[in-house]
Amino acid sequence: MSNRFRAHIEAELAGIAAEGLLKVERPIQGPQGAHIKVGGRKMLNLCANNYLGLADHPELTAAATGALEESGYGMASVRFICGTGELHAELEARLAAYLGMEDAILFAACFDANGGVFEPLFGPEDAIISDALNHASLIDGIRLCKAQRYRYKTNDMADLERQLQAARDARFRIIVTDGVFSMDGTIANLPEIARLAEAYDAMTLVDDCHATGFLGPRGEGTHAHHGVEVTLLTGTLGKALGGAMGGYVAGPAPLIEMLRQKARPYLFSNALPPAVVAASLKALDLVEAGDDLRARLFENAAYWRSGLEARGFTLLPGEHPIIPVMLGEAQLAQDMAARLFELGVYVSGFFYPVVPKGQARIRTQMNAALDREDLDAGLAAFEQAAQELKVLAA
């Protein structure tokens, strides 16, 4: 690397830091759970995607350990060469059945699933109509595709219909949305999306990363929550389904087969390690029988939301376990997160460009492993930090 280029990058980083937008990573020690250890301190964890509390579940650890002993550390190959094990095929079949789809295909991450799903299926004659707040991976996947692009305002069904009308001359149309918008906890209006899709002969793709495992009957996701059918589902094994890694696309068998033949992140990435696949299969067992975990998760979410509202915090409305505490400015969100860290609560501030300017927040996330004592301690810490930083009205 030349000195000139190094200096250029260092100046860019200095600018990010000066704006208060530099992201800081704090390594944790030990497993991901309701509590984590950071720098030797025990912290209450209110910001993980560990919705059902399965990331440190002993049955998942045992399944992963057994697979390590039986199948080794890694596959050392892509799927179509010699990277497909019996466990991979079993997990794909289980995911398809669980989600009510004909077939499913595994990827290294849902970012790869979303990055690889569009280009093999759609060309210049087709149209993709995408929600404005869709996840970055969907945006990047759509950019890699040569289809015509249309964008509609978030969850705005009138604007969606306008974009569908604008795309009426396309050969094929597909509406793309997050099932749950991760920064807001807002659930997509799938009933109306499905109605418009039928009216305009369009398909639907839903990224259900923040829903699979806990939203809807048996945790099947936003489509089950609303009782509607969608064409394609993408999702992750890295949140409610054990918290490790891996993503998938589920849908009609011919579409999944086309992805096996042409999706570049699938063709050119190593297969998921056997330990991850075996633990994911065990996670599905626990999730399918996990009504008690789902009930506890939503009880925690309701209690946490009502506690924050009673103390005067500004929240976005909703029912999802993602509960953003709105603070407005980036520096305030970072100061609040830093003070909460000092008080033993692990959260992160989110600010532009992750969220729009002026809408900085702390995104809190509930999980089923939290108990009432944890939540009360978290509420007390939030109240103390907010009073010290004058977030709450006197």
Side-chain angles (χ1 to χ4, degrees), residues 266-305:
Y266 178 84
L267 292 171
F268 299 109
S269 296
N270 262 21
L272 283 172
V276 171
V277 180
S280 298
L281 283 163
K282 178 55 67 174
L284 276 176
D285 290 341
L286 298 176
V287 166
E288 288 178 334
D291 286 346
D292 58 332
L293 295 176
R294 285 183 280 274
R296 195 177 315 138
L297 170 63
F298 282 96
E299 287 169 5
N300 284 348
Y303 186 83
W304 180 252
R305 178 178 287 277

Side-chain angles (χ1 to χ4, degrees), residues 120-284:
L121 300 178
F122 302 103
E125 309 90 343
D126 306 318
I128 299 173
I129 304 100
S130 178
D131 190 289
L133 274 189
N134 277 342
H135 191 268
S137 57
L138 289 172
I139 294 170
D140 285 358
I142 292 168
R143 285 172 176 165
L144 292 171
C145 174
K146 294 180 180 179
Q148 304 162 47
R149 305 170 199 167
Y150 299 83
R151 189 172 71 166
Y152 65 96
K153 298 174 185 176
T154 297
N155 249 355
D156 185 328
M157 297 299 101
D159 194 32
L160 171 57
E161 184 163 21
R162 284 191 289 271
Q163 303 310 315
L164 284 164
Q165 290 169 347
R168 61 184 175 273
D169 292 333
R171 179 182 61 172
F172 301 117
R173 288 160 293 282
I174 186 166
I175 303 167
V176 178
T177 184
D178 283 5
V180 175
F181 297 96
S182 60
M183 286 298 114
D184 297 344
T186 304
I187 300 172
N189 186 359
L190 288 190
E192 188 63 10
I193 290 173
R195 185 192 70 79
L196 289 170
E198 183 175 3
Y200 287 89
D201 190 26
M203 293 170 281
T204 48
L205 181 148
V206 176
D207 176 336
D208 238 7
C209 283
H210 288 277
T212 306
F214 60 93
L215 198 62
R218 296 197 315 151
E220 294 169 37
T222 50
H223 66 301
H225 172 74
H226 286 300
V228 301
E229 293 185 0
V230 298
T231 311
L232 289 165
L233 283 170
T234 67
T236 182
L237 307 174
K239 294 183 171 59
L241 300 184
M245 62 180 295
Y248 59 84
V249 181
L255 303 190
I256 301 305
E257 181 59 31
M258 182 60 78
L259 296 180
R260 290 192 196 281
Q261 299 302 316
K262 297 186 68 174
R264 292 168 71 84
Y266 178 84
L267 292 171
F268 299 109
S269 296
N270 262 21
L272 283 172
V276 171
V277 180
S280 298
L281 283 163
K282 178 55 67 174
L284 276 176

Side-chain angles (χ1 to χ4, degrees), residues 32-78:
Q32 183 75 255
H35 297 89
I36 53 178
K37 189 176 286 187
V38 183
R41 295 177 59 211
K42 182 181 178 182
M43 308 284 294
L44 177 61
N45 184 5
L46 296 180
C47 63
N49 297 312
N50 187 23
Y51 291 108
L52 297 178
L54 299 181
D56 60 348
H57 197 287
E59 291 189 39
L60 271 63
T61 304
T65 301
L68 276 171
E69 294 173 347
E70 182 174 335
S71 302
Y73 176 60
M75 299 303 295
S77 180
V78 299

Side-chain angles (χ1 to χ4, degrees), residues 8-32:
H8 165 70
I9 296 300
E10 288 175 346
E12 291 280 325
L13 288 170
I16 294 172
E19 290 183 69
L21 302 178
L22 196 66
K23 300 174 184 66
V24 178
E25 298 177 2
R26 298 188 182 102
I28 71 171
Q29 298 133 8
Q32 183 75 255

Side-chain angles (χ1 to χ4, degrees), residues 309-328:
E309 288 175 337
R311 287 162 174 79
F313 287 97
T314 300
L315 309 179
L316 294 179
E319 57 182 300
H320 193 273
I322 292 174
I323 304 170
V325 179
M326 305 303 291
L327 297 168

